[in-house]
Amino acid sequence: MVMTEKDRELLMRTVEIAHQAMERGNHPFGALLSDKDGNILLEQGNEFTKGGSAYHAETLLLLKAATLYTPEELAECTLYSNFEPCCMCTGALYWTNVRRLVFGATEKDLLRFTGDNEENPTFSLSSREVAKHGQKDIEIIGPADDEVLLERICHDHIDFWKNR
């Protein structure tokens, strides 16, 4: 379970998606779904401005994917997220049958930026912990070990949350 160069490239794209979400007034989270060859199938940023705090990028993307692809097709896909998916988003990954997750920074890293801000009450529950209680094998890769990538992932969050 090693992060590949393609994984890093697609994580960098999630940073761009997150930045676009932030420019639209949302929290800076971004996700994408790729096929087994790394081709991007769907992209999604947070949409809190449209529906509140449950409109996470990963969950929105996975719900959309479930309407476009069969569970068998989704089992061959990878979800990429700039930050580790929360328990709700990991549950959406599980229920839509996506079997591979790659994330950049951890839920604990996110907590460092958001603190106890009521706009983003993080869980102290990793995606691995959530997935291990299910009945499906889900490969989880992350956090990224590339300092440049991690700085890019965290940059918008540092700016966003210090102004809250």
Side-chain angles (χ1 to χ4, degrees), residues 83-161:
F83 273 86
E84 182 175 16
C86 71
C87 55
M88 175 182 72
C89 295
T90 303
L93 175 110
Y94 179 87
W95 290 112
T96 56
N97 207 38
V98 173
R99 299 297 181 96
R100 186 169 186 264
L101 166 64
V102 178
F103 67 88
T106 67
E107 183 84 356
K108 287 182 180 179
D109 291 328
L110 179 60
L111 183 59
R112 285 185 304 145
F113 302 125
T114 62
D116 63 355
N117 190 305
E118 64 185 42
E119 284 186 43
N120 196 43
T122 63
F123 277 89
S124 182
L125 187 61
S126 74
S127 56
R128 284 182 175 86
E129 185 67 21
V130 174
K132 84 176 189 180
H133 292 283
Q135 298 177 25
K136 299 177 183 181
D137 290 326
I138 299 173
E139 180 182 8
I140 300 176
I141 299 172
D145 58 2
D146 179 327
E147 289 302 318
V148 172
L149 176 58
L150 284 170
E151 192 280 323
R152 290 278 315 274
I153 289 168
C154 296
H155 178 75
D156 282 339
H157 278 271
I158 292 167
D159 288 347
F160 185 86
W161 292 105

Side-chain angles (χ1 to χ4, degrees), residues 20 22 48 77 112 160:
Q20 293 165 356
M22 185 178 73
F48 284 27
C77 292
R112 285 185 304 145
F160 185 86

Side-chain angles (χ1 to χ4, degrees), residues 38-57:
N39 299 305
I40 297 173
L41 302 174
L42 294 169
E43 297 182 340
Q44 181 68 55
N46 261 20
E47 292 192 2
F48 284 27
T49 56
K50 291 184 180 179
S53 60
Y55 277 53
H56 293 196

